[in-house]
Amino acid sequence: MGQTVTDPVDWAITAARAAASKTDERTVVLDVGKVLSIAGWFVITSGSNPRQVRTIAEEIEAKVAEHGGPRPIRIEGADARQWILMDYGDFIVHVFLNEVRDFYDLERLWADVDTVEWGP
């Protein structure tokens, strides 16, 4: 079992690390709390096919729980596996299919917010 953390940004970082363990695509954590009232952080990642998108989302859910974090309040898009949104309340995880990520380009839309360093 992993180390228990209690700070929501640490759970977002745990989600990013879990995602990175299942994809070679860029994973980012954006600090949106100063400009968005519904969540403090966005975790954005992607996979190259629908199966990988689902695997990434499952790994995130498992690792956040393993580290003492919450279960998602809701998960949307799991059936289509093109954009899975995992709402944890304090942070939101977006797991995209690569081409869908490119289309919506959330990193560009949120370019004015800080990025949280999460690497090992």
Side-chain angles (χ1 to χ4, degrees):
M1 188 158 159
Q3 177 183 359
T4 300
V5 297
T6 57
D7 189 344
V9 71
D10 291 331
W11 294 328
I13 290 168
T14 297
R17 289 179 177 156
S21 76
K22 296 297 180 183
T23 184
D24 291 332
E25 302 300 329
R26 183 169 180 251
T27 299
V28 297
V29 179
L30 303 178
D31 184 353
V32 298
K34 295 174 188 162
V35 295
L36 187 66
S37 63
I38 62 168
W41 300 270
F42 280 176
V43 178
I44 302 171
T45 192
S46 58
S48 59
N49 61 63
R51 177 177 280 167
Q52 186 180 29
V53 168
R54 180 179 56 195
T55 298
I56 294 166
E58 290 171 349
E59 182 72 1
I60 290 167
E61 187 173 5
K63 291 299 182 186
V64 170
E66 181 180 309
H67 286 85
R71 294 282 181 192
I73 296 166
R74 70 175 182 268
I75 298 175
E76 297 179 9
D79 292 336
R81 294 180 279 164
Q82 293 188 22
W83 179 356
I84 298 177
L85 184 144
M86 305 171 76
D87 182 353
Y88 282 90
D90 290 319
F91 65 99
I92 296 173
V93 178
H94 302 270
V95 184
F96 288 101
L97 190 61
N98 284 338
E99 51 266 25
V100 177
R101 181 181 187 173
D102 291 344
F103 179 80
Y104 287 102
D105 201 4
L106 291 186
E107 290 101 323
R108 183 187 56 78
L109 292 174
W110 293 97
D112 58 337
V113 302
D114 292 334
T115 300
V116 176
E117 294 300 323
W118 59 266

